[in-house]
Amino acid sequence: MKKARVLSFVLVLLVAAVAVLYYYVNRPNEASKIHISTNPWVGFTPFIYAQEKGWLEKTPFQFMWLVDLTDNARLYEQGFTQGFTATQYELFHFKNHDTIKPVFLIDRSNGADAIVSNRSLQEIRDSKEPVDVYLERESLNEDFFEAFLRENGLNRDHFHKIDASQKSIVTLQPSQKPIVIISYEPYISKLYAKGFVPLASTRTMKTFFVIDALYMDEAVIEGREKEFRHLKELFQVSVERLKSDPHEYYQTVKGYLEGQSYEEFMHSVSQIEWLYEGQRNDIIEHLRKQKVGTDKLLP
């Protein structure tokens, strides 16, 4: 009996040892993972779709889903990520961005970023009291607002900036006091539903062009171009699914859309221009003029 117990104990240890060995041989190698931060902007949802379909499981790419635009910089500069999805304006707010390069272009905002208010532009201009402006500081929002002031000849001193996350921005209500809000899809749909009206958008602005891309540390790109090309292909397949079966696509990604309805989501899709196919020389030239390095862009 004692011998049988000993044999059983040895067998259990052997099975446990094999299980542990199997885990360590087959576990994901974190050192080989490429961590990318992103948010539920409509143009980035193809990454969500690919993730939810399990297409990223056999790739080195691991996405971290955020809300605040400024978190991209914090995570990257602290070494938690090697890349991020963003506009060229987010890039400009990084302390050191010379070695950060776009791998492939994603979209151009054509109305999905907007400046809204509970007053008309003329009422804002005529207001005798300072106007509170809710936006994310040190992000695209500030650049958008500065361009809006220039295009409309508005006095910067007439406005009081308030740093606010998108989560808090969507809780704002029209009030007696004039306010201005800078936001983007999927959050801007909620503000329209509350009665806020657009003062400007990336469709109406003449001097403000918003280009979204996947940005990476160029040292991470080198030697792994094939893997990034595969990620781009998965992104493209996701967009094709959006075009061929938008209902199925929406059902797959809706958990990330902050409660955005199907109709709101499809409207936001109509307010971007996809850029992932081919080389858009006009867009690339625009980025170069803004001192964005484009030498790592995949064909």
Side-chain angles (χ1 to χ4, degrees):
M1 180 69 71
K2 183 177 180 181
K3 184 177 180 180
R5 284 200 298 268
V6 170
L7 288 174
S8 297
F9 180 70
V10 171
L11 182 60
V12 170
L13 286 178
L14 183 60
V15 170
V18 170
V20 170
L21 179 62
Y22 179 84
Y23 170 77
Y24 276 100
V25 169
N26 293 280
R27 77 189 191 283
N29 184 356
E30 277 301 310
S32 68
K33 288 288 185 181
I34 299 174
H35 298 92
I36 300 170
S37 62
T38 188
N39 62 46
W41 162 254
V42 57
F44 303 153
T45 58
F47 290 123
I48 299 175
Y49 187 86
Q51 176 178 281
E52 293 300 301
K53 289 298 181 181
W55 299 346
L56 301 180
E57 291 177 3
K58 294 184 179 180
T59 75
F61 303 104
Q62 186 169 330
F63 283 83
M64 302 173 65
W65 299 95
L66 312 172
V67 173
D68 295 348
L69 299 174
T70 51
D71 284 342
N72 277 333
R74 295 191 187 100
L75 290 174
Y76 181 86
E77 290 168 351
Q78 292 173 9
F80 292 113
T81 61
Q82 293 77 52
F84 48 89
T85 58
T87 75
Q88 74 272 38
Y89 292 99
E90 265 85 59
L91 182 66
F92 300 152
H93 289 279
F94 278 58
K95 294 176 182 177
N96 300 298
H97 60 76
D98 292 341
T99 60
I100 304 173
K101 304 289 180 67
V103 183
F104 62 86
L105 304 180
I106 292 175
D107 65 74
R108 173 181 173 180
S109 177
N110 191 27
D113 292 89
I115 299 177
V116 303
S117 177
N118 57 344
R119 299 288 190 275
S120 68
L121 179 58
Q122 190 58 50
E123 288 173 323
I124 292 292
R125 196 186 298 275
D126 295 339
S127 175
K128 302 300 182 183
E129 57 183 324
V131 178
D132 288 338
V133 181
Y134 293 86
L135 76 174
E136 289 184 70
R137 301 296 294 262
E138 299 182 1
S139 77
L140 157 77
N141 288 181
E142 280 203 302
D143 300 287
F144 192 1
F145 184 61
E146 290 298 321
F148 170 73
L149 294 178
R150 289 193 299 272
E151 284 199 13
N152 291 280
L154 296 170
N155 185 349
R156 185 179 291 100
D157 295 336
H158 188 56
F159 298 88
H160 173 230
K161 293 181 182 179
I162 299 174
D163 191 13
S165 69
Q166 292 301 323
K167 285 284 191 181
S168 62
I169 281 175
V170 294
T171 66
L172 295 172
Q173 300 287 342
S175 63
Q176 296 301 315
K177 183 178 180 180
I179 60 174
V180 169
I181 303 170
I182 293 87
S183 189
Y184 56 92
E185 295 291 4
Y187 309 101
I188 201 74
S189 297
K190 304 303 176 188
L191 296 173
Y192 289 144
K194 290 181 178 182
F196 288 100
V197 296
L199 299 179
S201 75
T202 44
R203 186 188 298 272
T204 64
M205 295 287 288
K206 298 180 177 62
T207 61
F208 190 70
F209 302 95
V210 177
I211 310 301
D212 288 292
L214 171 62
Y215 287 92
M216 300 297 305
D217 181 337
E218 63 180 349
V220 176
I221 303 171
E222 293 175 4
R224 307 190 77 165
E225 289 84 358
K226 184 177 179 180
E227 292 168 307
F228 280 102
R229 195 170 288 110
H230 180 51
L231 179 63
K232 183 180 179 181
E233 290 169 356
L234 293 177
F235 185 94
Q236 182 170 348
V237 171
S238 295
V239 178
E240 293 305 318
R241 291 285 182 91
L242 167 60
K243 294 177 180 178
S244 64
D245 193 346
H247 282 279
E248 188 272 340
Y249 184 96
Y250 170 77
Q251 289 297 324
T252 302
V253 305
K254 71 175 184 178
Y256 295 79
L257 300 179
E258 304 295 336
Q260 196 178 38
S261 69
Y262 173 74
E263 290 74 20
E264 290 170 335
F265 174 69
M266 292 308 297
H267 178 66
S268 65
V269 169
S270 72
Q271 293 183 307
I272 64 170
E273 175 189 1
W274 297 109
L275 297 177
Y276 61 87
E277 289 184 295
Q279 291 279 19
R280 282 287 301 273
N281 292 332
D282 57 330
I283 299 295
I284 293 173
E285 183 59 28
H286 181 79
L287 291 174
R288 286 174 178 166
K289 287 180 179 179
Q290 292 185 296
K291 308 300 182 184
V292 176
T294 59
D295 55 298
K296 297 298 182 182
L297 278 173
L298 296 173

